[in-house]
Amino acid sequence: MSKKVTIYDIAKRLHVTPATVSYALNNVSKVSEEMRKKILDTAREMGYSRDYTAVSLSTGKTYLMVLFLPFEDISKAFLENPFYGEFIGLFEQRIKRKGYDLLIQPEISEKDLLPWLRGRGVDAIAILGSYPKHYRKALKTFGKPVVLVDVFDEYAEEYNRVIISDSEGCYNATKYLIESGHKNIAFVAGDIHNSIVDQRRYDGYHKALEESNISINKDFLFISEVSFDGGVAIASQLLKKKDITAVVCAADTLAIGIVNGYRNAGKNVPDDLSVVGFDDIQSAKMIFPALTTIKQDIRAKAKAAANLLIEDLANHNIGNKVMELSPELIIRDSVKKI
Amino acid sequence: MSKKVTIYDIAKRLHVTPATVSYALNNVSKVSEEMRKKILDTAREMGYSRDYTAVSLSTGKTYLMVLFLPFEDISKAFLENPFYGEFIGLFEQRIKRKGYDLLIQPEISEKDLLPWLRGRGVDAIAILGSYPKHYRKALKTFGKPVVLVDVFDEYAEEYNRVIISDSEGCYNATKYLIESGHKNIAFVAGDIHNSIVDQRRYDGYHKALEESNISINKDFLFISEVSFDGGVAIASQLLKKKDITAVVCAADTLAIGIVNGYRNAGKNVPDDLSVVGFDDIQSAKMIFPALTTIKQDIRAKAKAAANLLIEDLANHNIGNKVMELSPELIIRDSVKKI
DNA sequence: CTGAAAGCGCTAACAT
DNA sequence: ATGTTAGCGCTTTCAG
């Protein structure tokens, strides 16, 4: 590791003081254009690179942001939600433009959170998917900008949030099914009562039926573990209710499980059942029939999250704005007109 | 942000000097057990958290590792290889145990790489998937431990590597096909000539055929863009060669495309064609028929990569060990005994 | 076993 | 427009 070159080295070479070099490097309007240029040139020439660590110690800014993923085991987060990867990439890209680097963290325990935050001195915090109760206090006392993505929590309003309009998504999906001639439409989701997301999705479904004067049949609501296997289990229940012709699922994995369950039973989607999913995971277009589903605009989501943080940082402020994004219905082959 | 508590505060309270506190905190055997305990207690009590920034400036260690992903746009990396997310999670988990945090970075340009490395002062570097030519010089002069994962490059030998035995994977797949009664077995991959990975996979296929005294038919080798669409395109070529009864694919996406291509043509897997993939992506078990494929042990991969780095760090050494991991054949429903 | 003091690289008053 | 100087929080010789 060749000896590190510091602003002192540059200063000495140019017979000026380190302060002047620092000013030049930071574009502080205190140094002549001529001097600045000379400094910048020799800096490059000498292979100087600014030491973030020293800057941080001096200014308190680390140019580090952290992204907390749900689960203590991050890899589970990626398996559960294939979007996380895409989100990370897009988010990183945005903050890098402003000079920030991205730290990835799993969920941290109560006793470790604040020490970690302070120890690392991150400038801003993004939280994806779940906002553990115990984070609240630590975040509050840490006092830096926060953005919560896809979280609905009683205290979420204290910070910036970006969410998608779940109800709008399911509303559109259900509407599409109705327009395709379906009346007996089931809804399957995780836990309507404990998951606010599932609740919001259910609301959209409910609203669409109501608007079309289709009575809500409580027997058409199915609760299941949100997974492929959960979906195949639901399929067998669905098969018993002959009058159901379509189903809207709160997740693609569920929908794909149902498609497989039907096939295993010698039935078929969309002839025996029309299904629409939610998420547009990668598999959605790979299965047969390709899944009609609701797609989130991850790009917009990542952009919104990054901007909220960057804005707060610029204004030395801890904001609590909300950005609600609209999802889009992707029509493929799993719905049949009847 | 409540005032930060430093070792000075602790020292003052206990009427000792900051140095003593530092020793106690670092388990340097220079302070009495009694004193150490008292210090640790009051540290906890006062809500002290060690400032990494200051430690770094003083010691040169940042406790930061960086993981470079292929592509300038990270999100593409995740789409192309669904394993990356899992790898990141597992890798992070491992290094965290040793106190390291993980920085995620896309591919960086030549002129920015070294400055970034130096500026951030990362302690170690992991590179996933692709090792751009221009990284070599920067890494060399930066002089910290490096591990290359899944890279085959002419200079790769300079650093630690973890790779999977591609040839073994395809050898097993081909062998399995042969044991199932197939003789006319095709191979489809990206670019046999430019991608070393594809080359290695081809070698395994080749070796299995050879061992069973099945002559290699050059017409049975298909080159395609590695994607779902590439797969469906290959399907139509495959359909023209009536004698082919099975195919081994260098990637699941390719395999899944072929399955769909066959279905679109009114044909069917595995009755008209047996197929085995490579990767075991999430969709592999969701499609119909569920895909028989070769699965990499991501957990082992991440663990190996992390350990190589941690070991080097402990020994103040820049290693160049190789870890070659064996993949596993996952038998599902896309191969038929004939 | 503990204290004093220098130093890591940079910034930011304050002075000139 | 440039120089001086005092930190930022911690580690680490070197003394005692």
Side-chain angles (χ1 to χ4, degrees):
Chain A
M1 190 153 93
S2 53
K3 203 70 217 80
K4 188 164 202 163
V5 9
T6 73
I7 56 173
Y8 283 85
D9 301 321
I10 303 180
K12 199 173 301 169
R13 171 104 138 229
L14 258 33
H15 304 294
V16 295
T17 71
T20 308
V21 176
S22 173
Y23 292 142
L25 257 22
N26 290 302
N27 283 311
V28 177
S29 59
K30 270 188 158 190
V31 67
S32 65
E33 248 336 297
E34 186 191 12
M35 190 70 233
R36 178 201 297 321
K37 196 171 168 336
K38 207 150 58 168
I39 290 177
L40 260 28
D41 286 346
T42 44
R44 181 170 22 260
E45 189 185 318
M46 297 177 72
Y48 167 80
S49 26
R50 189 206 244 74
D51 183 328
Y52 277 78
T53 309
V55 174
S56 301
L57 188 54
S58 179
T59 63
K61 283 209 58 157
T62 54
Y63 285 96
L64 242 27
M65 287 192 189
V66 61
L67 178 61
F68 284 109
L69 293 168
F71 299 101
E72 292 184 27
D73 178 349
I74 296 183
S75 49
K76 288 214 189 93
F78 286 101
L79 291 178
E80 158 150 318
N81 196 332
F83 289 138
Y84 290 159
E86 207 181 338
F87 181 90
I88 291 177
L90 266 7
F91 185 78
E92 193 277 339
Q93 204 167 281
R94 282 257 145 199
I95 66 173
K96 185 174 44 206
R97 291 189 205 164
K98 297 290 175 182
Y100 293 90
D101 285 325
L102 216 216
L103 238 20
I104 298 293
Q105 281 289 313
E107 201 176 303
I108 296 192
S109 72
E110 174 156 21
K111 89 175 185 357
D112 293 332
L113 183 57
L114 189 55
W116 186 86
L117 253 13
R118 289 223 248 246
R120 217 34 120 171
V122 293
D123 290 337
I125 298 151
I127 298 182
L128 216 49
S130 107
Y131 180 34
K133 288 264 174 300
H134 71 263
Y135 272 40
R136 188 174 181 233
K137 206 168 63 186
L139 256 29
K140 205 131 219 120
T141 104
F142 187 55
K144 297 269 178 81
V146 173
V147 64
L148 305 169
V149 180
D150 285 342
V151 351
F152 298 92
D153 179 278
E154 58 179 319
Y155 298 122
E157 295 143 7
E158 296 176 339
Y159 296 113
N160 296 309
R161 278 145 293 153
V162 5
I163 54 182
I164 62 151
S165 181
D166 296 288
S167 69
E168 184 184 333
C170 282
Y171 173 86
N172 291 341
T174 310
K175 202 84 184 169
Y176 171 66
L177 251 12
I178 294 171
E179 285 161 2
S180 299
H182 297 274
K183 283 198 156 42
N184 294 327
I185 304 171
F187 182 81
V188 11
D191 190 341
I192 294 290
H193 302 299
N194 290 315
S195 155
I196 302 192
V197 170
D198 284 328
Q199 219 166 92
R200 288 162 53 91
R201 292 183 183 179
Y202 177 75
D203 288 346
Y205 157 81
H206 193 281
K207 182 173 163 220
L209 291 183
E210 215 166 33
E211 268 186 28
S212 300
N213 293 311
I214 298 178
S215 62
I216 312 295
N217 185 337
K218 278 293 173 196
D219 287 352
F220 287 4
L221 172 58
F222 297 83
I223 298 303
S224 159
E225 182 198 85
V226 179
S227 68
F228 178 81
D229 292 331
V232 338
I234 290 295
S236 59
Q237 298 183 40
L238 248 18
L239 281 162
K240 288 180 199 143
K241 315 234 178 187
K242 301 289 182 193
D243 38 353
I244 293 177
T245 63
V247 57
V248 358
C249 303
D252 280 352
T253 45
L254 233 27
I256 294 176
I258 290 176
V259 169
N260 273 266
Y262 262 64
R263 181 160 34 224
N264 295 344
K267 298 288 186 175
N268 141 0
V269 170
D271 290 335
D272 298 308
L273 182 77
S274 286
V275 1
V276 10
F278 201 115
D279 282 340
D280 196 25
I281 64 176
Q282 218 193 3
S283 306
K285 65 172 87 52
M286 292 189 169
I287 66 158
F288 183 83
L291 191 67
T292 290
T293 189
I294 297 148
K295 176 200 179 88
Q296 315 184 23
D297 187 344
I298 305 294
R299 185 167 293 275
K301 213 168 185 175
K303 179 173 164 179
N307 286 350
L308 252 11
L309 255 20
I310 289 169
E311 202 177 300
D312 273 8
L313 251 9
N315 303 332
H316 297 281
N317 161 254
I318 295 185
N320 65 339
K321 292 192 187 162
V322 197
M323 305 278 311
E324 181 158 8
L325 308 174
S326 291
E328 180 193 1
L329 181 66
I330 305 289
I331 297 179
R332 289 198 271 248
D333 313 321
S334 60
V335 170
K336 184 185 170 190
K337 270 211 162 49
I338 62 173
Chain B
M1 189 151 98
S2 53
K3 203 70 217 82
K4 188 163 201 168
V5 9
T6 74
I7 55 173
Y8 282 85
D9 301 320
I10 302 180
K12 200 174 300 169
R13 170 104 137 228
L14 258 32
H15 303 294
V16 295
T17 70
T20 308
V21 177
S22 174
Y23 291 144
L25 258 22
N26 290 303
N27 283 311
V28 176
S29 59
K30 271 188 157 192
V31 66
S32 65
E33 247 337 296
E34 186 189 14
M35 189 72 232
R36 169 191 264 74
K37 196 173 168 334
K38 210 152 58 171
I39 289 177
L40 260 28
D41 286 346
T42 47
R44 183 171 20 261
E45 189 184 320
M46 297 177 72
Y48 168 80
S49 27
R50 189 206 239 72
D51 183 325
Y52 277 79
T53 310
V55 173
S56 301
L57 188 54
S58 179
T59 63
K61 284 209 57 155
T62 54
Y63 287 95
L64 243 26
M65 287 192 188
V66 62
L67 177 62
F68 284 108
L69 293 167
F71 299 102
E72 293 184 24
D73 178 349
I74 296 183
S75 49
K76 289 215 190 93
F78 286 100
L79 291 178
E80 158 152 316
N81 196 332
F83 289 137
Y84 289 161
E86 207 180 338
F87 181 91
I88 291 177
L90 266 5
F91 185 78
E92 193 278 340
Q93 204 168 282
R94 282 258 146 198
I95 65 173
K96 185 173 48 209
R97 291 189 205 164
K98 297 290 175 183
Y100 292 89
D101 286 324
L102 217 218
L103 239 20
I104 298 292
Q105 282 287 315
E107 201 176 303
I108 296 192
S109 72
E110 175 154 24
K111 88 175 185 1
D112 293 333
L113 183 57
L114 189 55
W116 186 86
L117 253 14
R118 287 224 250 243
R120 220 28 124 175
V122 293
D123 290 337
I125 298 153
I127 298 182
L128 216 47
S130 109
Y131 180 35
K133 288 265 175 297
H134 71 263
Y135 272 42
R136 187 173 182 234
K137 206 169 62 184
L139 290 182
K140 204 130 216 122
T141 104
F142 186 54
K144 297 268 178 83
V146 172
V147 63
L148 305 170
V149 180
D150 285 340
V151 349
F152 298 92
D153 180 277
E154 60 179 317
Y155 297 122
E157 295 143 8
E158 297 176 337
Y159 296 113
N160 294 309
R161 277 146 293 154
V162 4
I163 53 182
I164 62 153
S165 181
D166 296 287
S167 70
E168 184 185 335
C170 282
Y171 172 85
N172 291 341
T174 310
K175 203 85 185 166
Y176 172 66
L177 252 12
I178 294 171
E179 284 161 4
S180 299
H182 296 274
K183 284 201 154 42
N184 294 327
I185 303 171
F187 183 81
V188 12
D191 189 342
I192 295 289
H193 302 299
N194 290 313
S195 155
I196 302 191
V197 170
D198 284 327
Q199 220 166 93
R200 288 162 53 91
R201 293 184 183 178
Y202 177 75
D203 287 346
Y205 157 81
H206 193 281
K207 181 173 163 218
L209 291 182
E210 216 165 33
E211 268 188 27
S212 299
N213 293 311
I214 298 178
S215 62
I216 312 294
N217 185 337
K218 278 293 174 197
D219 287 353
F220 287 2
L221 172 59
F222 297 83
I223 298 303
S224 159
E225 180 198 88
V226 179
S227 68
F228 178 81
D229 292 331
V232 337
I234 290 296
S236 60
Q237 297 184 40
L238 247 17
L239 281 161
K240 287 180 202 144
K241 315 234 176 186
K242 300 291 184 191
D243 39 352
I244 293 177
T245 63
V247 58
V248 359
C249 304
D252 280 352
T253 45
L254 233 27
I256 295 176
I258 290 175
V259 170
N260 273 265
Y262 263 64
R263 181 158 37 222
N264 295 344
K267 297 288 187 174
N268 143 356
V269 170
D271 290 335
D272 298 309
L273 182 77
S274 286
V275 1
V276 11
F278 202 115
D279 283 341
D280 195 25
I281 64 175
Q282 217 193 3
S283 306
K285 64 172 89 48
M286 293 187 169
I287 65 157
F288 183 83
L291 191 68
T292 289
T293 189
I294 297 149
K295 175 200 179 89
Q296 315 185 24
D297 188 344
I298 305 295
R299 183 167 296 273
K301 211 169 186 176
K303 179 174 164 178
N307 286 350
L308 253 11
L309 255 20
I310 289 169
E311 201 176 300
D312 273 6
L313 251 8
N315 304 333
H316 297 282
N317 160 253
I318 295 185
N320 64 340
K321 292 192 186 161
V322 197
M323 305 277 311
E324 180 158 9
L325 308 173
S326 290
E328 179 192 1
L329 181 66
I330 305 289
I331 297 180
R332 288 199 274 248
D333 313 321
S334 60
V335 170
K336 183 185 170 188
K337 271 211 159 49
I338 60 174

